[in-house]
Amino acid sequence: MANNTNTGNFDSFHKQKHKDEMVKQLITFALMIVFTLIAFVVVLTGVDKIFAIPLLLLLAVVQVAFQFYYFMHMKDAGHEMPSLMIYGGIGAAIVTILALTLIIWW
């Protein structure tokens, strides 16, 4: 029986792939910690609300995107239906908020 010599290459490929994935997740986690610290500094220093609120919202949106793509593995293949449901829910929430805002302030 012949020995399969490609197993070593296959294992090393997967080890490298998993290592690269772990590095990406650690970098993303570190960035999320930095964004959280920036948000705390903005609030604690008493930055003007006109500047602070959009900055905090932007940081929140970026952190949600990091959560989806890196920690919930939405970037991987086979996650099309959960992605569709999440984006559909976000779209419905945006339409609802805009509609309620229009009703209240029009």
Side-chain angles (χ1 to χ4, degrees):
M1 220 162 136
N3 240 350
N4 189 359
T5 58
N6 292 333
T7 314
N9 291 338
F10 186 74
D11 288 340
S12 66
F13 171 75
H14 281 291
K15 284 181 184 179
Q16 184 64 36
K17 187 176 177 183
H18 289 299
K19 181 180 176 185
D20 292 343
E21 182 69 24
M22 182 60 73
V23 168
K24 288 178 185 177
Q25 286 191 353
L26 287 174
I27 290 170
T28 303
F29 181 72
L31 283 173
M32 289 175 56
I33 296 292
V34 169
F35 289 160
T36 302
L37 292 174
I38 291 171
F40 275 115
V41 168
V42 166
V43 171
L44 290 176
T45 57
V47 176
D48 189 27
K49 286 183 180 181
I50 292 177
F51 176 71
I53 292 173
L55 178 63
L56 293 175
L57 289 174
L58 176 68
L59 290 173
V61 168
V62 170
Q63 284 188 345
V64 166
F66 281 164
Q67 286 286 334
F68 281 156
Y69 284 106
Y70 288 102
F71 295 114
M72 293 178 68
H73 303 285
M74 298 301 267
K75 64 181 174 33
D76 296 339
H79 289 95
E80 291 83 15
M81 187 54 75
S83 296
L84 178 68
M85 293 297 154
I86 287 174
Y87 296 135
I90 290 171
I94 289 172
V95 168
T96 303
I97 290 170
L98 289 175
L100 292 174
T101 304
L102 181 69
I103 290 171
I104 291 171
W105 279 309
W106 191 278

